[in-house]
Every structure is written in C-alpha cells, then in structure tokens.
Amino acid sequence: MSTPFQIAGRSIGTNHPPFVIAEMSGNHNQSLDRALAIVDAAAASGAHGLKLQTYTADTITLNVRGGDFEIADPGSLWSGKNLHDLYQQAHTPWEWHAPIMERAREHGMVCFSSPFDESAVDFLEELDVPAYKIASFENNHLPLIAKAASTGKPLIISTGMASLGELEQAVATARSAGCTDLVLLKCTSSYPASHVNANLRTIPHMREMFDCEVGLSDHTLGLGVAVGAVALGATVLEKHFTLSRSERGVDSAFSLEPQELAVLVDESYRVWQAMGRVTYSTAESELKNISFRRSIYISSDIQE
C-alpha cells in the first residue's frame, strides 16, 4: 500500500484529514489585488492549499486565428473565444507568483502550481514550490511530467481524458524520473462536469492499480461529489475557487464561493472522521440507551 507523505508539513494519506485545495485559476480577472483577496478568502474558509497555474499565452498556444485555435463548441463556457486571447485573459502573470505565495504562507496555506511547460518548472523551482500539479490537459506531456518529477518533490497528476494505458505511461514516467510521493486525481475534464460522469468508484480501483494516493479534481456544481469521494478513499480534493460567481471570472461558473468552500472543508473532514473502522461492537455513546431496547417485562404474576 502507498505510504503517507507530507507536502510542506501537511500529511497526505487515508489516516489524515482530506487535503483541500482551492484552485485560483484565472478567477483573479487580471488584478493582483483580487488574487490576494482570493488567497485571504481561501484561508478564511479553511482551505489547506492554494493552487496557481503557470503559463503565458505564448508558452501554451500559438497566436493563430481560426481552425483548432477557435472554440467552436456552442455548449462551451468559452464558445467563440480564440485560444490565445483566452489564455492571455486567464494566465497568472509570473511576477505575481511570489507575492501570492508569500500571502498564502502568511496564512499557513500550502501554495504550489501547475506548470504547463518545462520553462514553468524552472521558474517555479526558483520560487522553491513544495509540490507540482500536472493538469489533465498535460497528463500526456511525458517530458513535462519527467521534468517535474526530477525535482524530487511530491507530484499530483489529474487524470481527465486519459486512458488506463496513458495513465500507466504517466505514472511510469514520473517514477522513473524520481517521483516517490504521487497523487492521482480522478477528474472529468468538462466545465462544468455532470455528476453522472464522476465515476467515483474509480478512486479505490486507481489506488489499488497504481499503489499511490488518490483524490478528486472536481468540476461539478455543488459539494456532494467531492464530499462523497472521501468515503471512497479520496485524500486530496481540488475545487476551483472565486470570491463571487457574479464577477464572472473565466472559471467562475463552476467555482466555489467562500461560504461553500468552508462547508466543503468541514463536511469532508466530517466524512473522513465518520469512516472509522469495521466494527460491530456497541459504541460507548450507545451504552446509556441499551435500557431502552426491546425488552421483556412481567406485568402480572406468573409462575417461575
């Protein structure tokens, strides 16, 4: 079985409370003040981790119009957007990373990021991030996985869109490059995702298959899917986070607001506590009620 480990002093494993990560993504709306306010709100809501994304429009795509570079799906939140324009709007400026991470540390939160190319790993290493997250859209980018794994830091990989064979390649690449502390996050890469596509039963199967920690990167609306994942062994929960969905950040439509994040932290902890152990014994709290169970009393004289 996988061995529990720590990310910046926070223990990850089934014997420890779920590690809840607030994903800022592009919900800062290109305002550093708003980004710092998101950090403050995530900390006040009880989040244990804060995650950024490290890329620029030019490191993630080409400045090309038409064809594959336009989002044509009418059902997409970003329908009609050009990819370069969207990533320009959504990216977190690299010069913001240090002040955001410092603010998170002041609150006692673990702050790390998803690099989208090898240059982002080099940059994040200069900031001495405590872990790396590989996004679902990059889980087939084996050189990136190897680069992040070679740092020796814990690695979290989202599994959206990946086949079992592709996950086997990703995990083998990470381990051969030096990763010993690995988390796979069950993920459905649609935005928002439907709860009927969550397939949470994959979580314990993935743990057995890859002998590593497993969690959930959740894009569904609400909290039920994420909380339910804990009952199936999820040790890491990641949800997108915003100050207010009404402010229309790029990912705000499927992001939690502060009061919802606070409920997720509380309820996921409560479910983790409730898991307990396999037992058929009488709980100590039940002892005082034993006298009220169905019993036999004699209401008239009978012979012995």
Side-chain angles (χ1 to χ4, degrees):
M1 295 296 292
S2 58
T3 302
F5 59 89
Q6 292 191 336
I7 299 178
R10 177 83 191 188
S11 295
I12 309 296
T14 54
N15 291 329
H16 303 279
F19 180 53
V20 179
I21 302 166
E23 163 70 82
M24 182 185 296
S25 66
N27 286 330
H28 46 62
N29 293 353
Q30 288 303 308
S31 165
L32 178 56
D33 287 341
R34 180 178 171 82
L36 295 175
I38 288 174
V39 177
D40 295 341
S45 298
H48 312 119
L50 181 90
K51 195 183 75 65
L52 307 178
Q53 296 175 346
T54 307
Y55 64 86
T56 69
D58 289 329
T59 61
I60 201 172
T61 190
L62 300 175
N63 191 1
V64 173
R65 306 287 146 169
D68 291 341
F69 297 90
E70 307 289 332
I71 301 175
D73 178 5
S76 171
L77 291 173
W78 310 289
S79 181
K81 288 272 193 179
N82 170 267
L83 287 181
H84 193 275
D85 292 346
L86 178 61
Y87 292 135
Q88 184 64 34
Q89 174 190 357
H91 86 288
T92 301
W94 290 22
E95 63 269 22
W96 291 7
H97 282 56
I100 290 172
M101 290 178 176
E102 178 58 31
R103 181 68 66 89
R105 282 193 293 269
E106 290 172 1
H107 288 298
M109 277 196 302
V110 180
C111 188
F112 59 106
S113 187
S114 292
F116 283 78
D117 77 305
E118 291 89 334
S119 70
V121 177
D122 291 332
F123 170 72
L124 291 169
E125 276 298 283
E126 294 175 3
L127 297 176
D128 195 25
V129 295
Y132 287 96
K133 159 77 187 295
I134 302 297
S136 288
F137 287 85
E138 308 303 319
N139 61 33
N140 62 350
H141 189 344
L142 301 183
L144 176 62
I145 291 173
K147 175 96 171 180
S150 70
T151 67
K153 295 175 180 177
L155 188 62
I156 302 171
I157 303 177
S158 274
T159 64
M161 300 174 289
S163 67
L164 180 57
E166 288 171 329
L167 289 183
E168 288 174 338
Q169 282 190 304
V171 170
T173 298
R175 286 177 166 155
S176 65
C179 176
T180 57
D181 300 329
L182 176 66
V183 183
L184 295 178
L185 299 185
K186 178 69 180 75
C187 181
T188 304
S189 294
S190 50
Y191 309 92
S194 170
H195 63 280
V196 300
N197 293 326
N199 294 313
L200 295 181
R201 295 183 195 275
T202 310
I203 290 173
H205 184 270
M206 194 180 291
R207 178 183 293 277
E208 181 179 358
M209 177 71 66
F210 294 105
D211 190 24
C212 66
E213 289 304 318
V214 178
L216 178 72
S217 178
D218 183 31
H219 302 132
T220 66
L221 303 179
L223 305 175
V225 171
V227 171
V230 177
L232 288 167
T235 56
V236 176
L237 300 176
E238 180 186 67
K239 290 279 276 187
H240 284 244
F241 181 66
T242 186
L243 295 178
S244 172
R245 285 188 289 273
S246 66
E247 296 183 12
R248 302 178 68 83
V250 292
D251 294 336
S252 63
F254 54 92
S255 297
L256 296 183
E257 294 181 341
Q259 68 276 14
E260 295 167 324
L261 179 60
V263 173
L264 174 62
V265 172
D266 288 344
E267 292 301 315
S268 61
Y269 180 70
R270 187 171 299 184
V271 170
W272 173 75
Q273 287 183 306
M275 291 292 291
R277 57 190 173 86
V278 177
T279 177
Y280 296 97
S281 61
T282 302
E284 186 175 347
S285 61
E286 295 177 297
L287 294 176
K288 61 181 180 296
N289 289 322
I290 286 181
S291 63
F292 301 113
R293 297 179 78 190
R294 175 66 63 181
S295 305
I296 297 177
Y297 285 85
I298 306 304
S299 60
S300 60
D301 291 342
I302 61 173
Q303 292 185 1
E304 291 184 13

